[in-house]
Amino acid sequence: MKPIAARTRRAAPCATTHAHTAARALGPDRRRARVLTRANGAATRLTTRVQDGLEEAVRRPDRGDISTTTVIIWVAAVTGAVLIAGTIAVVIAKYNGKLAGL
């Protein structure tokens, strides 16, 4: 068998750079500027989104709000389901020993 020559690791240039690596390469002032730019962009997008929503609410005030009757029906349905499940759990817990032989 021939001995295999030791390979040396060479740093290959990356096509993409990770954000934390790029931020480390920048100075503190440039890093701060980048963070502020992103924060300003996010604030602008959020403000625009809220304004669009308010304009839509003014333009269409009846945007399908849930009525009180619908809420009462849903609360009754969920309460009934919880009561039924609780009753089943209590009955199974009470008669668990007697049901084991079935």
Side-chain angles (χ1 to χ4, degrees):
M1 290 180 78
K2 293 181 182 178
I4 300 173
R7 296 181 191 172
T8 58
R9 292 185 77 184
R10 294 183 196 160
C14 293
T16 59
T17 313
H18 294 288
H20 65 276
T21 308
R24 234 184 262 141
L26 300 176
D29 293 334
R30 290 192 57 193
R31 217 177 306 149
R32 189 176 301 119
R34 177 178 282 173
V35 169
L36 288 175
T37 303
R38 286 187 180 184
N40 285 337
T44 303
R45 284 191 302 274
L46 180 64
T47 304
T48 305
R49 174 87 177 186
V50 169
Q51 286 176 348
D52 289 345
L54 290 174
E55 289 171 4
E56 180 74 16
V58 168
R59 193 166 38 107
R60 292 189 320 146
D62 60 340
R63 56 186 196 278
D65 290 336
I66 298 176
S67 67
T68 306
T69 308
T70 306
V71 172
I72 291 171
I73 290 171
W74 273 102
V75 168
V78 170
T79 304
V82 168
L83 285 174
I84 291 170
T87 303
I88 292 172
V90 166
V91 169
I92 288 176
K94 184 176 182 181
Y95 296 106
N96 196 16
K98 294 179 182 176
L99 294 175
L102 291 179

